[in-house]
Amino acid sequence: MTSYEPAGAAGADLAYDAVVLAGGAARRLGGADKPGVSVGGRALLERVLAACADARTTVVVADPRPTARPVIWAREDPPGGGPLAALGAGLHPTAARDVVVLSADLPFLTADTVRRLLTALREAGTDGALLTDADGRDQPLVAAYRASALRRELTTLTTAHDGLTGLPLRRLTAGLHLTRVPDPVASFDCDTWDDIAAARARIREHGPVLDEWISAVKDELGIELDVDTGVLLDLARDAAHNVARPGAPLTTFLVGYAAAQAGGGPEAVAEAARKATALALAWPDEEASDAKPGDPKPNDPKPGGTSGAQPGTDAG
């Protein structure tokens, strides 16, 4: 066993496939549709799929449902056969050397977490790299594995037990050389309604609320574009301050529309935002640029009178 503290950059080649287990019975949630439970405006399954969006192939082991990203659906036989049986079914459509295995109830999983696991796996040269939770417990369903090691152990277990149905995950991990990556946040999973409530509260009160909102809106609208939100926020501020407060949302809408007409992409958004920002910053100077030297400013006292004197009245 080895322990791993994340280094800086991820490896150069992190190609992988992903297997997401989403077909559990959710008994501690009273049989609720756990993958579809919303946390921070997005279903738990959608949050996990977003974290592994750059996988070459993503297999979800569950009954099919609409998802924002294309996936391959698989099911263990018989359904409800447990995590090892589900993992075995999910591995069949994959072909990558490395496979990220995830449960569908991880509200704080991010693409950065996935990259850290893959980097740890490549650097350590072990059979797998998994997260450990706040209590130091292994989380084998938040992990990156060598696909060959998974298939080897699953074949061994299938032969020894005449199948994988009902076998616990520890039977798999006991035969693997694993690297541990501590992460009490990304490893947090939602098994109970209290866990769901805690996750919602963390996002609402402590998490990056704006990032969560933008991610939720992009999922809802089917948008995968990543842009510099700081540039758009600065533009909205400049439009509100230099033009009029309602100009902020209208201007950012028009920037998005212009970027779409220009073919979309972060560069198109940045260029449209640059032009609109320059216009907003120049807006208050328009009258000043038209004035001749010596002309009174709009709020200056009028010649021979006091500020605010009405035409045709004696200011004195």
Side-chain angles (χ1 to χ4, degrees):
M1 297 181 203
T2 59
S3 181
Y4 175 80
E5 291 294 340
D13 177 18
L14 295 180
Y16 69 99
D17 289 339
V19 175
V20 181
L21 307 188
R27 291 183 180 85
R28 287 195 277 174
L29 288 178
D33 175 26
K34 181 162 67 169
V37 171
S38 176
V39 174
R42 290 186 289 166
L44 285 170
L45 175 59
E46 295 292 356
R47 301 181 75 88
V48 172
L49 293 179
C52 59
D54 57 349
R56 296 194 313 185
T57 299
T58 300
V59 183
V60 180
V61 186
D63 293 330
R65 69 173 71 210
T67 56
R69 290 170 173 78
V71 302
I72 295 173
W73 296 95
R75 202 69 167 109
E76 71 273 25
D77 186 17
L84 283 191
L87 177 56
L91 275 179
H92 284 306
T94 66
R97 180 185 67 173
D98 298 328
V99 177
V100 171
V101 177
L102 305 166
S103 61
D105 60 352
L106 302 165
F108 305 119
L109 186 73
T110 65
D112 180 63
T113 307
V114 172
R115 287 191 292 269
R116 287 171 54 216
L117 285 168
L118 289 164
T119 301
L121 176 65
R122 308 286 173 86
E123 291 182 351
T126 52
D127 293 328
L130 52 76
L131 293 193
T132 56
D133 65 15
D135 297 319
R137 293 174 297 199
D138 287 351
Q139 299 296 315
L141 296 184
V142 200
Y145 297 99
R146 301 283 186 197
S148 58
L150 285 182
R151 291 190 170 95
R152 179 194 71 221
E153 290 303 312
L154 289 174
T155 298
T156 299
L157 289 170
T158 298
T159 302
H161 300 276
D162 194 26
L164 297 172
T165 299
L167 294 182
L169 278 168
R170 64 177 178 274
R171 293 290 183 90
L172 174 68
T173 55
L176 297 175
H177 182 209
L178 299 172
T179 296
R180 270 76 183 178
V181 181
D183 193 327
V185 177
S187 63
F188 182 88
D189 56 359
C190 294
D191 290 326
T192 67
W193 287 114
D194 284 345
D195 293 337
I196 297 289
R200 288 169 173 167
R202 182 184 182 93
I203 288 174
R204 186 169 56 248
E205 299 169 10
H206 304 293
V209 176
L210 184 58
D211 289 344
E212 291 289 344
W213 168 246
I214 294 300
S215 295
V217 172
K218 289 199 297 185
D219 273 359
E220 186 69 20
L221 299 179
I223 297 171
E224 295 193 14
L225 178 68
D226 287 325
V227 298
D228 187 343
T229 54
V231 169
L232 294 177
L233 289 173
D234 287 345
L235 166 61
R237 178 202 62 206
D238 292 336
H241 178 73
N242 294 310
V243 184
R245 191 173 296 275
L250 295 174
T251 304
T252 51
F253 165 78
L254 292 172
V255 161
Y257 189 81
Q261 286 190 316
E267 297 81 6
V269 175
E271 177 61 13
R274 183 192 65 75
K275 291 179 178 178
T277 298
L279 180 63
L281 292 176
W283 191 268
D285 298 329
E286 189 175 56
E287 290 187 5
S289 66
D290 290 339
K292 297 177 182 178
D295 284 353
K297 296 178 182 179
N299 294 324
D300 280 351
K302 298 187 183 300
T306 60
S307 176
Q310 298 297 316
T313 62
D314 184 359

